[in-house]
């Protein structure tokens, strides 16, 4: 447990709300932090968020917007698989929040893609909802982990992506999310993702802790990611890769919008199907209830969330860098990596990341690449 000491500045307001519209899934991904890890509380929550819970969440978001005079916020429909809620309930949720919140609400949905069809896409077009799809690369790689009870899901995801990336709906395409598998060739995976010309790609390390460490040896994930980084860095105009972009941002002295990079306080919160307000859902990898705050949208406002000791501990900026990380040259740029990956039973989260070696190698590689690029002479324009 990280101890909070000293006076802290007032916390910045929350800007992103993860609305778990449906708490079940039609896939059984073996790395899923919801169903395949330590926290099994999903079994006791309602599968579908009730309309009254959606209204209570909308009221709390509106209250937060008014209190902090926010011009806009974002809401992500999540799960489970949010499209299991069906078009009618998705539409009700979006319209309820938009009609209640007195500011612009940017909506997106994160889906496994297997249920995407023209009916959903016409609705998302009408409601102005961006669509992110989870895809782990080529068919062999994707189907290793993202499976239905009857086999791989790649073919169904491709059908959904074909509909999403068709000219009629392509403006709704928010990007792809890929979980890294170091046993697969990185450039084969990257080429499979790039084939869809996504506006953005999220590359995620598999969630692990010191108690349940990754199967791959230290350095394997860095080698995989640096291979993709080199290809990405060399191919203008490159698709946005948030992990690489945010590392570049912090190495150049800027801030990061990712909780796994840098020391910028996170600005998001999760609302479960029963209305419980929780921290980042991937904390479920650590132990059951790791994300639990004991708060809900019926009885608590979001300023109460900001004052919760567990939230304060993770919004301390540079002061929240884990103790073992502070002598490191990347302490304030890496920030200790993803909070989940710092956990060790029974001592808590004040540890370096279980991916520390990988992060050190990755940051070093990107730093050297930037130094070389910035030192290279700029070519004079060719006279016309």
């Amino acid at each position: 447990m990280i101890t909070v000491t000293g006076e802290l500045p007032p916390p910045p307001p929350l800007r992103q709300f993860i609305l778990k519209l449906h708490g079940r899934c039609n896939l059984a991904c073996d790395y899923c932090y919801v169903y395949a890890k330590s926290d099994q509380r999903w079994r006791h929550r309602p599968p579908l968020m009730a309309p009254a819970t959606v209204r209570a969440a909308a009221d709390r978001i509106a209250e937060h917007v008014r209190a902090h005079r926010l011009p806009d916020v974002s809401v992500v429909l999540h799960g489970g698989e949010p499209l299991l809620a069906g078009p009618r309930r998705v539409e009700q949720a979006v319209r309820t929040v938009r009609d209640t919140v007195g500011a612009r609400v940017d909506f997106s949905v994160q889906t496994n893609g297997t249920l995407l069809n023209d009916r959903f896409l016409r609705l998302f077009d009408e409601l102005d909802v961006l669509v992110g799809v989870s895809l782990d690369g080529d068919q062999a790689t994707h189907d290793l982990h993202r499976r239905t009870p009857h086999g791989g899901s790649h073919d169904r995801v491709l059908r959904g992506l074909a509909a999403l990336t068709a000219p009629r709906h392509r403006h709704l395409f928010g990007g792809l999310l890929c979980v890294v598998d170091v046993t697969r060739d990185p450039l084969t995976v990257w080429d499979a993702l790039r084939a869809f010309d996504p506006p953005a790609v999220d590359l995620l390390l598999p969630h692990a802790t010191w108690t349940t460490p990754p199967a791959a040896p230290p350095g394997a994930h860095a080698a995989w990611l640096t291979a993709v980084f080199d290809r990405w860095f060399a191919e203008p105009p490159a698709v946005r890769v948030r992990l690489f972009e945010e590392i570049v941002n912090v190495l150049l002295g800027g801030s990061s919008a990712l909780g796994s990079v840098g020391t910028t306080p996170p600005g998001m919160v999760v609302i479960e199907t029963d209305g419980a307000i929780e921290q980042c859902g991937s904390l479920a990898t650590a132990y059951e209830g790791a994300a639990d705050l004991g708060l809900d949208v019926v009885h608590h406002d979001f300023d109460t969330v900001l004052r919760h000791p567990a939230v304060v501990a993770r919004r301390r900026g540079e002061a929240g860098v884990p103790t073992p990380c502070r002598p490191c040259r990347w302490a304030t740029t890496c920030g200790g990596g993803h909070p989940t990956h710092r956990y060790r039973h029974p001592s808590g989260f004040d540890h370096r990341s279980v991916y520390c070696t990988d992060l050190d190698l990755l940051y070093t590689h990107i730093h050297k690449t930037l130094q070389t690029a910035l030192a290279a002479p700029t070519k004079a324009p060719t006279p016309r």
Side-chain angles (χ1 to χ4, degrees):
M1 189 71 171
I2 298 173
T3 303
V4 180
T5 59
E7 289 296 321
L8 297 174
L14 299 167
R15 304 299 292 263
Q16 185 180 70
F17 303 87
I18 312 298
L19 206 63
K20 293 224 173 176
L21 193 59
H22 204 287
R24 303 294 186 270
C25 193
N26 58 338
L27 298 186
C29 305
D30 57 13
Y31 52 62
C32 181
Y33 64 79
V34 178
Y35 309 108
K37 300 295 181 179
S38 300
D39 197 332
Q40 295 294 298
R41 290 175 303 147
W42 63 271
R43 297 178 183 275
H44 310 295
R45 287 187 160 127
L48 181 62
M49 184 177 284
T53 305
V54 174
R55 286 193 297 273
D59 287 339
R60 291 301 187 186
I61 297 171
E63 179 181 50
H64 200 64
V65 163
R66 290 192 302 270
H68 296 275
R69 300 181 180 179
L70 301 178
D72 57 81
V73 291
S74 68
V75 174
V76 183
L77 301 179
H78 213 282
E81 170 48 51
L83 300 193
L84 285 171
R88 184 177 65 86
R89 295 295 284 272
V90 169
E91 180 176 8
Q92 285 179 346
V94 173
R95 293 195 185 280
T96 296
V97 174
R98 282 237 173 91
D99 290 346
T100 305
V101 176
R104 191 179 84 241
V105 183
D106 296 322
F107 263 95
S108 60
V109 59
Q110 184 62 42
T111 172
N112 62 37
T114 60
L115 302 176
L116 266 183
N117 55 32
D118 282 338
R119 183 179 179 191
F120 269 120
L121 290 168
R122 287 195 301 270
L123 176 64
F124 294 146
D125 194 5
E126 178 184 344
L127 298 174
D128 191 21
V129 176
L130 288 179
V131 182
V133 177
S134 299
L135 177 73
D136 283 350
D138 58 293
Q139 181 166 11
T141 303
H142 181 93
D143 284 347
L144 272 176
H145 304 286
R146 301 187 63 81
R147 301 180 62 81
T148 74
H150 309 292
S153 63
H154 189 264
D155 288 345
R156 293 175 63 187
V157 178
L158 258 58
R159 284 197 294 272
L161 276 168
L164 175 60
T165 57
R168 180 180 180 183
H169 297 302
R170 187 169 183 88
H171 62 286
L172 301 173
F173 192 14
L176 297 174
L177 183 152
C178 170
V179 177
V180 172
D181 182 342
V182 297
T183 70
R184 312 300 298 180
D185 179 68
L187 298 185
T188 299
V189 170
W190 177 245
D191 288 342
L193 300 174
R194 286 287 281 124
F196 292 97
D197 194 21
V201 171
D202 275 329
L203 296 175
L204 304 183
L205 292 171
H207 287 306
T209 70
W210 288 104
T211 306
T212 54
H221 287 88
W224 197 100
L225 287 167
T226 53
V228 176
F229 174 82
D230 288 344
R231 172 73 69 83
W232 171 80
F233 197 76
E235 55 178 17
V239 60
R240 295 188 61 203
V241 177
R242 286 207 302 163
L243 176 63
F244 298 154
E245 285 189 346
E246 300 300 354
I247 291 176
V248 169
N249 284 344
V250 296
L251 287 175
L252 294 177
S255 60
S256 168
L258 281 182
S260 57
V261 176
T263 57
T264 304
M268 57 78 68
V269 72
V270 177
I271 304 168
E272 293 283 351
T273 57
D274 59 357
I277 303 171
E278 301 210 337
Q279 301 181 84
C280 175
S282 64
L283 288 170
T285 305
Y287 59 89
E288 182 156 321
D292 186 22
L293 297 173
L295 308 176
D296 66 79
V297 292
V298 174
H299 301 100
H300 306 96
D301 60 23
F302 288 120
D303 277 5
T304 301
V305 174
L306 293 177
R307 294 190 296 268
H308 192 286
V311 175
V312 171
R314 288 184 171 83
R315 292 168 68 89
R316 298 185 66 215
E318 293 184 13
V321 173
T323 304
C325 298
R326 292 174 188 172
C328 177
R329 56 182 168 167
W330 309 125
T332 58
T333 48
C334 167
H338 197 292
T340 298
H341 304 161
R342 307 171 194 167
Y343 179 73
R344 185 194 295 270
H345 178 78
S347 52
F349 292 91
D350 192 23
H351 301 281
R352 61 191 180 96
S353 170
V354 74
Y355 289 108
C356 181
T357 298
D358 298 272
L359 295 174
D360 181 39
L361 291 169
L362 180 62
Y363 275 76
T364 299
H365 180 81
I366 294 177
H367 184 255
K368 288 181 178 178
T369 302
L370 290 176
Q371 282 185 316
T372 301
L374 291 171
T378 302
K379 287 186 178 181
T382 303
R384 292 183 181 272

